[in-house]
Amino acid sequence: MTTAGTAAMNEADVQQIRAAFDAQQATALRWRASAAAERIARVKRLRDALMAQREAFYAAFESDYRKSPAEVEASEFLPVMEEIRQVLGALKRWMKPRRHWPTTTMLGTYASVQYQPRGRVLIIAPWNYPLSLCFGPLVSALAAGNTAIIKPSEMTPAVSALMARIIADVFPAEEVALFEGSQPTSHALLQLPFDHIFFTGSPSVGKLVMTAAAQHLASVTLELGGKSPTIVDETANLQLAAETLMWGKFLNNGQTCVAPDHVYVHAGVKPAFVAACRQVLQQRYGADAAAQKRNPDLTRVVNQRHTQRLAGLLADALQRGAVVHTGGEVDEAQCYIAPTLIEQIPAGAAILSEEIFGPLLPIIEYRELDQVIAAINAAPKPLALYVWSTRQANIDQVLKQTSSGGACVNHCVTHFAHGNLPFGGVNNSGMGSAHGEYGFKAFSHERAVLRASPLMLIKLFFPPYTSGRLRLIRMVVDSLKLPML
């Protein structure tokens, strides 16, 4: 298991990066006219190579941060396979030009939208779900007819190396290439004039990516993060909320961009909710600290640097007077932090302002829903928001008065896996959407195409502008005050 603060690895050769990028130009031009069958064949080759390495990925994830085979299947393979399944079943329909009726002033024309590949795209993937957040966007990019260069995270070296072998076996570099490395490799890639950049990571790095893209006016999809809040009101099904939230929070040991970051719990039900959460954690991971540490279902923190960061957040909160209900054990050498529920956190504690991205769950008592909504709106817009309630008025109030990339009612996290929903953030938590047809569109340019008919009504607007022609144009403009039929 990797424990260093930053995994040591060789940087990719800048000349090789440039050679692959240049070689992909001719391929990208050729692939503009690629049929659905060709694109599907590429995706199938990737799928078959991925599944052939199933057991090897188990070992790689064990090496990088002791992720169990069950979590590898559920959180890494499953999203990619769902993405592939949608492409195989729907790509022909997605690729068809969409006809559009003419507006009032465009009568006599024929309009459609064509979906063109953006061209050469860059995919920069994170470490927390290194397989699904790398190959998932790649599937969308291939479905849209693009070439791709991929930069996985250096913090999961075993998984990255395995993905590199798969890409090299399946694709020549002029189609898809993968370059391992850390910040210098990312910097070298971001200097190139890609047609689109798909980045998943933190808001701070997202700003750097967007700045680099602006130098070439490249379009971007940014899947970022933020402190995704959860609300549990006085009418919530507390047992179901506890069971689901303890899964969503501690999946991948809390290292999930849409994990519940903190929970606002109504004062009237907080003791019962906390008790239910503690019981769930004991049933799933062990009745005491030693049993939980031995449990093979608990993924480790990715490295010592992040373990120290999380330990610092916990220590800061405790020094300020916070109370741990369960958990709190830290073993930095083993990159281990126990599933921890913490409350009575005073204002000013770093855990309330920094994205946690780990197995620490602050529980915040509230009495008035308006106060919770005000607190959410005072913070940057989160990637996800969760509300647990059986009172429709409360649900409606939360959804109408807040903004987030996505939201779940009486559920959490799973909107990420719904292939018919757009997944993405808003402002600080990202821009653009992914998954399914939304992912196909993210990697496509929607080209407007208008065809003239023999009628050519536009001639009525040609000069010379006689008084009669002016009256006609005014009449058309005035008609636009009428409602659409």
Side-chain angles (χ1 to χ4, degrees):
M1 176 176 157
T2 302
T3 59
T6 301
M9 66 163 48
N10 295 326
E11 300 299 329
D13 183 87
V14 175
Q15 291 182 335
Q16 290 182 347
I17 290 174
R18 184 76 212 201
F21 179 78
D22 290 343
Q24 288 190 3
Q25 173 67 357
T27 306
L29 293 174
R30 189 172 68 253
W31 280 8
R32 277 186 187 170
S34 58
E38 299 173 69
R39 301 179 187 186
I40 286 172
R42 296 177 198 125
V43 172
K44 284 183 175 179
R45 294 204 312 272
L46 178 64
R47 177 198 62 188
D48 294 345
L50 170 63
M51 297 308 288
Q53 297 295 331
R54 204 170 193 166
E55 299 293 332
F57 272 111
Y58 292 170
F61 276 99
E62 171 68 24
S63 173
D64 280 340
Y65 56 126
R66 218 191 81 170
K67 193 168 186 173
S68 72
E71 280 202 2
V72 173
E73 288 287 343
S75 64
E76 302 283 356
F77 277 93
L78 189 150
V80 178
M81 294 301 291
E82 174 64 23
E83 204 75 57
I84 292 172
R85 184 172 180 269
Q86 280 198 289
V87 166
L88 301 187
L91 182 58
K92 290 181 180 179
R93 172 170 56 83
W94 295 345
M95 288 178 63
K96 286 182 179 179
R98 306 280 175 91
R99 288 287 301 274
H100 291 273
W101 288 102
T103 56
T104 303
T105 54
M106 288 293 106
L107 291 173
T109 64
Y110 304 96
S112 64
V113 174
Q114 295 179 344
Y115 294 94
Q116 290 189 311
R118 290 193 180 273
R120 293 175 290 182
V121 305
L122 172 63
I123 298 170
I124 302 178
W127 53 264
N128 58 323
Y129 292 95
L131 173 58
S132 67
L133 295 180
C134 180
F135 279 13
L138 176 60
V139 170
S140 296
L142 293 171
N146 300 278
T147 65
I149 290 180
I150 306 165
K151 164 59 177 71
S153 174
E154 72 278 8
M155 290 166 57
T156 49
V159 174
S160 294
L162 183 52
M163 291 192 298
R165 291 198 296 272
I166 290 174
I167 294 299
D169 288 344
V170 175
F171 300 103
E174 62 266 23
E175 295 182 356
V176 180
L178 185 150
F179 292 101
E180 297 177 84
S182 58
Q183 192 276 335
T185 297
S186 296
H187 178 76
L189 287 165
L190 288 171
Q191 302 310 301
L192 299 174
F194 284 95
D195 297 297
H196 187 75
I197 300 174
F198 191 107
F199 170 78
T200 306
S202 68
S204 59
V205 180
K207 293 175 183 178
L208 299 177
V209 171
M210 193 170 181
T211 300
Q215 303 308 306
H216 306 290
L217 297 180
S219 56
V220 295
T221 302
L222 303 177
E223 292 190 1
L224 308 178
K227 294 181 70 63
S228 297
T230 299
I231 302 170
V232 177
D233 78 3
E234 65 274 25
T235 73
N237 181 329
L238 298 181
Q239 184 60 38
L240 183 60
E243 291 174 1
T244 310
L245 289 170
M246 294 305 95
W247 165 76
K249 175 61 180 181
F250 298 107
L251 173 72
N252 205 38
N253 207 13
Q255 300 167 118
T256 303
C257 58
V258 290
D261 182 271
H262 51 288
V263 183
Y264 295 100
V265 185
H266 192 276
V269 298
K270 191 195 71 175
F273 174 74
V274 171
C277 289
R278 292 182 63 180
Q279 184 179 38
V280 169
L281 291 175
Q282 290 171 356
Q283 291 172 343
R284 290 181 183 170
Y285 300 120
D288 56 37
Q292 291 184 2
K293 189 174 182 181
R294 291 192 304 267
N295 193 300
D297 294 336
L298 270 175
T299 302
R300 290 297 187 253
V301 180
V302 69
N303 57 33
Q304 286 185 356
R305 178 167 64 85
H306 279 275
T307 308
Q308 291 165 358
R309 178 186 63 82
L310 290 163
L313 291 177
L314 178 61
D316 172 71
L318 294 177
Q319 288 169 5
R320 294 171 183 269
V323 175
V324 168
H325 270 296
T326 188
E329 294 79 21
V330 176
D331 185 339
E332 291 185 7
Q334 295 297 315
C335 297
Y336 175 78
I337 294 182
T340 300
L341 306 179
I342 183 171
E343 68 162 332
Q344 297 181 32
I345 306 169
I351 201 170
L352 295 179
S353 59
E354 296 182 20
E355 184 178 5
I356 297 171
F357 222 70
L360 309 175
L361 182 62
I363 296 174
I364 305 168
E365 181 179 302
Y366 81 91
R367 294 185 181 277
E368 298 295 333
L369 187 57
D370 287 344
Q371 295 175 343
V372 175
I373 291 173
I376 292 172
N377 287 335
K381 296 175 183 177
L383 186 57
L385 182 148
Y386 308 121
V387 54
W388 287 81
S389 176
T390 58
R391 182 176 294 160
Q392 191 60 45
N394 285 2
I395 295 169
D396 291 342
Q397 182 181 1
V398 171
L399 295 180
K400 289 177 180 178
Q401 296 182 9
T402 63
S403 177
S404 63
C408 292
V409 177
N410 297 325
H411 216 321
C412 68
V413 175
T414 48
H415 65 295
F416 174 88
H418 197 305
N420 291 328
L421 288 175
F423 178 78
V426 55
N427 296 129
N428 191 71
S429 56
M431 62 178 62
S433 298
H435 299 175
E437 187 172 9
Y438 298 96
F440 168 80
K441 288 184 176 181
F443 286 102
S444 300
H445 168 60
E446 296 182 77
R447 185 188 204 181
V449 179
L450 185 141
R451 298 178 187 275
S453 74
L455 192 57
M456 286 295 287
L457 293 176
I458 194 65
K459 289 181 178 181
L460 298 174
F461 294 84
F462 290 175
Y465 296 125
T466 63
S467 59
R469 190 147 294 183
L470 174 58
R471 286 195 300 271
L472 175 62
I473 295 173
R474 284 174 62 97
M475 187 188 314
V476 172
V477 172
D478 287 343
S479 74
L480 297 179
K481 295 185 292 185
L482 301 173
M484 291 184 64
L485 297 178

